[in-house]
Structure formats: structure tokens, C-alpha cells
Amino acid sequence: MTTLTVAQATVRFLEAQYTSRDGVEQPFFAGCWGIFGHGNVAGVGQALLEREQSGDPSHLRFFHGRNEQAMVHAAVAYARQRDRLAAMAVTASVGPGATNMVTGAALATINRLPVLLLPGDTFATRVASPVLQELENTQQGDLSVNDVFRPVSVHFDRVDRPEQLASALLHATRILTDPAETGAVTLALPQDVQAEAYDFPDELFAKRVWHVARPVPEPSALARAVAAIRSARRPLVVAGGGVTYSQANDALRTFVEATGIPVGESQAGKGALPYDHPQSVGAIGSTGTTAANALAEDADVVIGVGTRFSDFTTASRTVFQGDGVTFVNLNVSAFDTHKHSAVSLVADAREGLTALTAALEGWTADPAHTARATELAREWDAIVQRAYDGEGAPQVADGLAIQSQVIGAVNELSDPRDVVVCAAGSMPGDLHKLWRTRDRKGYHVEYGFSCMGYEIAGGLGVKMAALDTDDARDVFVMVGDGSYLMMNTELVTAVAEGVKVIVVLVQNHGYASIGALSQSLGSQRFGTAYRYRTDTGLDGDKLPVDLAANAASLGADVLSASGIEDFRAAVLKAKESTRTTVIHVETDPLVPAPDSPAWWDVPVAEVSALDSTREARRAYDEHKTRQRPFLTPASETKDRS
């Protein structure tokens, strides 16, 4: 037995957890982010300090964040870059420190990415209630603000007694390391319990290896999936994030090269194949390419691999228009395999693709279908190049760059293994369509929650993951002024840690994405520009906000670019630097990137006094007629002759 406080025991336990997959063993918890307040400074904070000063090289590293939400974002990005085989913990104080983490928890759970949250809680003994920042509820005496984590966590527990800690920690780690269940796990730790001593069994702190399974397909389910695919005349793969997390990229390449099936990619699945693979048709859905969406329009069998089929991937269920289209969903999570009334194939993506390849030996899609996909992809790539060059774009004022040129410059000047990071605004859609991904880990866009403010913190987490695995990559964070103003705090952390990220700060004086959406919905870009207030609203001159000066004040090196050639020079200079560098560039927000005609379902007011809204409603009603329910039960085979 070892006498430790609950917090000390928690830290010691986290240090002893490992994952193993394919015979590769590694520590699971790579560190703990924290901001200390009265709810955790003498508990988890003291425990982390004690381990740091112990001289033990395996001690849990502490990272000092500047915003609780941002700390979770950094931890989640770290786990994604490590293919969910390593993760981080995040600790915060009671009250606002804890609730600031809720957005990050939702982001982690939606994206199926592991993070352990350790919010401080009010006194379990209630000896001094109400304590500072305690929420008093007249109906539930055991409720605290931490209960808001319940709906956004895959697992929530509150450790009210030291005796509960062992089972809570073991259950939490089991869930975090399970690819079918993972997400945010919250263990609320009352501040008095954190400091309480207890005789813990030594076995709790022994090295524990969590074997990350690769479930294989059940034979009869595999047979049904094979029968459905063999019936196809115009099949299409939709690759999701599960391909990357399973490290199934080679298996996917083997599968599609053997069968001739083209591949479209969700946001999380981008990079499943290199952009120039002859069967890669790029982004699919609302922000998709003309190539992928044309093939989706005609597809008779859609094979989803590791995707959850969000509304952007399906263009709100309008992109798949084939008569009697059948879905075959391969996913480690049974929840996702049954979407769209699909033929369900529950398995690890790599194992499932390997099994499908063997079972389909001798079968290929119509060579004309494969050739059409390659030609469509070639045509789209030519469109991308014109967008990179700014060819055909309207004349912009003052020599400003346009967003597609900025993306093109970063893509062309970055190394093939460098990583682009983004999350919200117009940039993710443009990146999805335009970015030429050359490495399976080279594209990191958070689009499950599309959380403004993720970008800089996420980029920091990605770079930390690369450094921890001796993986030499630069990380380019693409962020608009709207997201930058939401959360730029982790620039300070990057500087403090000596972790280099390159932040491309695109200044367009407002919310370009929502402005364009607002206009398309008849709302005239209302409330989306950064302007002075006048007698008629927020429609005056641009605000004199100097974001370059702000970034410099946080300790980053700053390069200001006044046009695309100036910007290209700045990218090269940032690549040469060893310090976090922010490149500030102003762009014209009214010049869109090339697009496909795909749709996104955002309801428009059914009645309105505005002509613009009434016209937008008419267009909305037309699009709604193309929406498909996908309710027909999947049959084992269909005659498609």
C-alpha cells in the first residue's frame, strides 16, 4: 500500500498507462494541461509539482495554458495527430475554470477524440457551502456546474471518496483507449477529496497496457457487403477520419487499385489518398469538388469507410441521387454503420478493407467508370491551379490577395509532410476543395464542431505531437480575423514552450463565411462585418483593429504581407525561422473560391417582408425537393443490370 492524496494517486496512475497496437507500445498520457485556481491548485497542482521535482524521468509533464477551452483544443489536436494512441489530461479549477472546458469537451466527443478532463469541484463534505463559485440549486443538492459536462462527455463520473478512485480511473482509461467509444471523459474531483490521503494498493500504479483492438468483420456481414459491392456499376468510396486513425491508408490504396473504385473524402478523411492518386476525386459534399459530387450524383453503391456521414459530407442528403442507391458502411463503431439504412460492416478500417479486397478478388468496377473518375479529377485539379494563380478572379482593390491565392501559396511553398490546421469560417470549405494533400497527416481541419478559436491551440497540439514522435514537420495554422479574436491566447504558450507554429492570419474585417451564407439566405450579410456603429447600424468604416500588433504583443514574430508576392516571401521566411511566426495578410472577402453546385440545408424564414429573404426561400424550397430520406432497408443484392 502507498499513502497518497487522491490527486497524487491520479497523477501516478496516469503515468503508468500505455497503449499497444500492432506490437507498438507507447505511453498513453503525454502530459497534463492546466490553469490553477482554488479548486485544483492544492490538489492536482500540488501533485504535478511533486512529480516534476521527483527527478523521475517518466513524470507526467505539465503544460501551462492561457485559456481552459484552448487547453482542451490543444489536447484534442495532439490526440488526433497521434491517431488516438496517445492523449492528454486537462485540469481546471471550479466554476468558470471548469465550464470554460465544456466547449472543448463537446468538440472532442463529436470528433471521437480522447481527452481526460479533470475539473475541480465543490466540497464533497459541504462543510463550508456555498464556497466561492459554487452553484446552489434548490432542487438538487448534489448538483454542481460540472454536471454540464454530462451531455458532452462519453463518460462522466464524480469521485466523492478516495475508495472510488481506482474504479473511476480504470473505467475512464478503458473508454479513452477504445476507438469505438472514445471522446471526452470527465472525472470531476471535489477540491477537498483531491487533497485527502488514502492507502492505495500498489497494483494501481503498476504499468498497465491497454491493447487497442483491430476488430475483424463478422463473416456473414462481410458476405453481405461483398454482395452489395459486386452488384455495383458505379461504386464510390467515401473515406472518413477512421481511415487515418486506423492507419489504413495503404489498405485503402490496395483496395481501390484492385477494384477500380474512386474515392471521395470527408473533411476528417482528407489525405486518405494523396491528391494526385488517379482514383482520388477529392472533397465530397457541400464543400466538395465537381469531380466527387458528380460521381456521388450517379453512384449506385456508396462505401463509407470510417465516416459518420455528417450533413456536410452528404450535402444535407442531396448529393447521392442514384436510383436505389445502397450504402455499405465500414466502421469500428456500430452506431455509424447503420446510418442511411446501410449494409453494416463493423470492423477496424484496415482489417475491413483488407478483408474486402480479398473477398472481391477478380471483381472490378467498369473501367469506363474508373476512367471517368480520373478525368473528372484532372479537370478539377486544373480549376484548383487557376484558383491558386488567381486566374479569372475579379479585380480586387489595393492589390489585395484573394483567399484561394493564399491557400495556393502555402500549399506550394510548404513541404509535403507539413500540416495545415483550420477549423471555422470560409477557410475550411476552401481548404477541403483546394488543398492538395500529399501526406496522410498533412491535413488537420476540425469540422465536426467547426469551433472558432480551435486553430491556434490546435496547431500547437499538432506540433507538440510531431515533436514527441521526432516527426519533422512545420505546422501552418490558417485562421481568419474572426477566429483569431475568439482565441489567440495559446500564442503565448507556444512562445513559452519554444514550440514553433506558423500562423497565417487572414484579415478580411469580419465573418466572411457567415457573411456569404447570410447573403445566400437573403439576410444581406447583416451583422457579419467589423464596422463602426452609425445611425443606421454597424455599417460605418472598418474598425482600426491591428491584429499584427496584437500578435507581436503576445511574443510571436510577425510578418505583414501587402500582396500575394509579398505573402509568398513571408511564407519562405517563416519556414526558415525557428520561432512561432504570424503572417498577417489582408484579403478581399467578396471573391469566392470555385465551387460545385452542392447544397447545405440552412432553413430560410418561411415568411418575410424582405424581397431578398422571399427569393432565398424559393431557392430553399427547390433544394428541399432533392433531399433523400435513405430509409429503404438494405437488401443483400440488387439487380442493377
Side-chain angles (χ1 to χ4, degrees):
M1 306 289 273
T2 301
T3 302
L4 297 167
T5 69
V6 166
Q8 292 163 357
T10 298
V11 170
R12 289 277 297 275
F13 174 88
L14 299 183
E15 292 172 350
Q17 307 312 299
Y18 287 72
T19 58
S20 176
R21 188 173 71 179
D22 302 331
V24 178
E25 189 176 285
Q26 55 197 307
F28 182 58
F29 289 103
C32 181
W33 288 86
I35 294 176
F36 297 124
H38 69 283
N40 65 343
V41 64
V44 175
Q46 186 278 336
L48 289 166
L49 167 67
E50 187 169 292
R51 290 299 293 155
E52 188 167 291
Q53 294 188 352
S54 69
D56 187 337
S58 66
H59 76 271
L60 191 68
R61 294 180 299 169
F62 170 67
F63 300 104
H64 182 199
R66 271 69 191 175
N67 177 283
E68 291 89 354
Q69 182 187 144
M71 294 192 302
V72 183
H73 292 335
V76 169
Y78 183 97
R80 174 172 168 175
Q81 191 69 13
R82 295 289 301 274
D83 290 333
R84 306 192 293 204
L85 297 173
M88 288 183 166
V90 185
T91 180
S93 187
V94 300
T99 57
N100 279 351
M101 296 197 297
V102 172
T103 296
L107 180 146
T109 297
I110 285 171
N111 286 286
R112 317 312 173 53
L113 293 167
V115 62
L116 176 63
L117 305 180
L118 302 172
D121 214 326
T122 52
F123 281 64
T125 58
R126 307 184 193 177
V127 66
S129 293
V131 298
L132 178 66
Q133 299 176 329
E134 178 175 352
L135 173 71
E136 293 184 279
N137 185 285
T138 60
Q139 304 298 315
Q140 300 178 64
D142 63 346
L143 182 143
S144 81
V145 295
N146 285 343
D147 287 273
V148 302
F149 284 100
R150 293 180 185 271
V152 296
S153 302
V154 291
H155 176 68
F156 175 92
D157 199 359
R158 179 177 281 113
V159 180
D160 286 318
R161 293 292 307 141
E163 295 89 339
Q164 299 170 344
L165 183 66
S167 62
L169 288 171
L170 289 166
H171 192 44
T173 311
R174 182 198 68 77
I175 293 171
L176 287 167
T177 56
D178 186 331
E181 292 189 53
T182 195
V185 170
T186 302
L187 296 183
L189 300 175
Q191 54 186 300
D192 53 343
V193 176
Q194 288 182 48
E196 188 173 345
Y198 184 73
D199 292 334
F200 289 97
D202 291 331
E203 296 85 351
L204 181 62
F205 311 116
K207 178 180 176 180
R208 193 177 304 268
V209 181
W210 301 85
H211 294 275
V212 180
R214 288 193 180 275
V216 298
E218 190 267 326
S220 62
L222 178 64
R224 289 190 293 271
V226 167
I229 295 170
R230 283 184 178 275
S231 75
R233 299 177 63 193
R234 298 175 302 279
L236 176 67
V237 167
V238 177
V243 173
T244 297
Y245 303 145
S246 177
Q247 298 172 346
N249 305 78
D250 290 342
L252 176 65
R253 180 195 290 262
T254 299
F255 172 72
V256 300
E257 289 177 354
T259 60
I261 303 175
V263 178
E265 299 167 321
S266 72
Q267 279 279 13
K270 193 168 172 71
L273 287 180
Y275 85 96
D276 55 356
H277 188 283
Q279 285 160 253
S280 174
V281 294
I284 193 167
S286 298
T287 53
T289 70
T290 53
N293 286 347
L295 293 169
E297 176 93 10
D298 297 335
D300 53 4
V301 174
V302 177
I303 307 161
V305 184
T307 178
R308 62 192 188 96
F309 280 115
S310 76
D311 66 337
F312 258 73
T313 302
T314 68
S316 300
R317 298 192 178 188
T318 61
V319 75
F320 302 112
Q321 288 292 322
D323 185 30
V325 60
T326 295
F327 290 83
V328 176
N329 290 346
L330 165 59
N331 203 295
V332 74
S333 168
F335 177 80
D336 289 313
T337 65
H338 290 279
K339 291 176 178 176
H340 298 164
S341 303
V343 176
S344 168
L345 190 60
V346 180
D348 169 77
R350 193 187 76 179
E351 296 302 312
L353 286 167
T354 301
L356 285 171
T357 302
L360 288 164
E361 184 177 4
W363 178 90
T364 63
D366 184 342
H369 175 64
T370 307
R372 179 184 179 229
T374 300
E375 178 60 21
L376 288 171
R378 188 194 63 78
E379 292 172 0
W380 176 257
D381 195 57
I383 293 172
V384 170
Q385 190 59 54
R386 290 195 292 273
Y388 280 8
D389 295 339
E391 184 180 324
Q395 188 69 32
V396 296
D398 303 321
L400 296 179
I402 59 175
Q403 188 158 282
S404 64
Q405 290 178 304
V406 169
I407 291 172
V410 175
N411 195 209
E412 292 170 351
L413 298 174
S414 60
D415 294 335
R417 299 184 71 258
D418 289 348
V419 187
V420 65
V421 178
C422 194
S426 59
M427 194 79 75
D430 289 354
L431 287 167
H432 194 208
K433 292 175 289 188
L434 302 179
W435 188 263
R436 290 167 168 165
T437 308
R438 298 158 285 177
D439 181 85
R440 75 176 193 92
K441 301 299 291 187
Y443 185 86
H444 184 117
V445 172
E446 189 286 299
Y447 217 61
F449 211 35
S450 186
C451 184
M452 295 179 72
Y454 174 89
E455 295 88 346
I456 292 173
L460 176 58
V462 171
K463 183 65 174 186
M464 292 168 71
L467 291 171
D468 280 356
T469 53
D470 295 321
D471 188 4
R473 301 172 185 259
D474 270 325
V475 175
F476 284 86
V477 174
M478 309 286 281
V479 61
D481 49 336
S483 277
Y484 179 87
L485 285 169
M486 287 270 186
M487 195 173 296
N488 52 41
T489 53
E490 299 324 296
L491 280 176
V492 178
T493 307
V495 171
E497 294 286 344
V499 175
K500 175 196 172 184
V501 293
I502 301 171
V503 178
V504 177
L505 173 52
V506 178
Q507 169 70 280
N508 50 38
H509 303 283
Y511 301 135
S513 173
I514 295 302
L517 179 64
S518 170
Q519 187 170 34
S520 73
L521 301 178
S523 295
Q524 304 173 17
R525 295 181 179 262
F526 176 72
T528 62
Y530 294 158
R531 298 291 187 270
Y532 282 107
R533 181 173 294 281
T534 70
D535 292 340
T536 55
L538 293 171
D539 56 2
D541 292 336
K542 295 175 183 176
L543 297 176
V545 177
D546 191 341
L547 299 184
N550 175 265
S553 76
L554 299 178
D557 290 347
V558 177
L559 303 171
S560 292
S562 59
I564 193 60
E565 292 307 318
D566 204 18
F567 177 76
R568 292 177 69 90
V571 171
L572 292 174
K573 187 173 182 180
K575 281 282 292 177
E576 293 171 357
S577 176
T578 60
R579 285 177 40 82
T580 286
T581 303
V582 175
I583 305 173
H584 179 271
V585 58
E586 191 159 345
T587 63
D588 188 329
L590 300 180
V591 180
D595 210 348
S596 71
W599 183 62
W600 184 37
D601 189 347
V602 180
V604 180
E606 199 165 1
V607 296
S608 174
L610 300 176
D611 290 341
S612 59
T613 304
R614 289 197 297 269
E615 181 59 33
R617 180 67 197 198
R618 282 192 287 272
Y620 177 80
D621 290 338
E622 290 175 10
H623 282 292
K624 288 290 283 185
T625 64
R626 290 176 52 82
Q627 216 160 24
R628 304 283 297 278
F630 300 132
L631 296 176
T632 303
S635 59
E636 295 190 12
T637 60
K638 288 184 180 176
D639 182 6
R640 303 184 192 277
S641 58

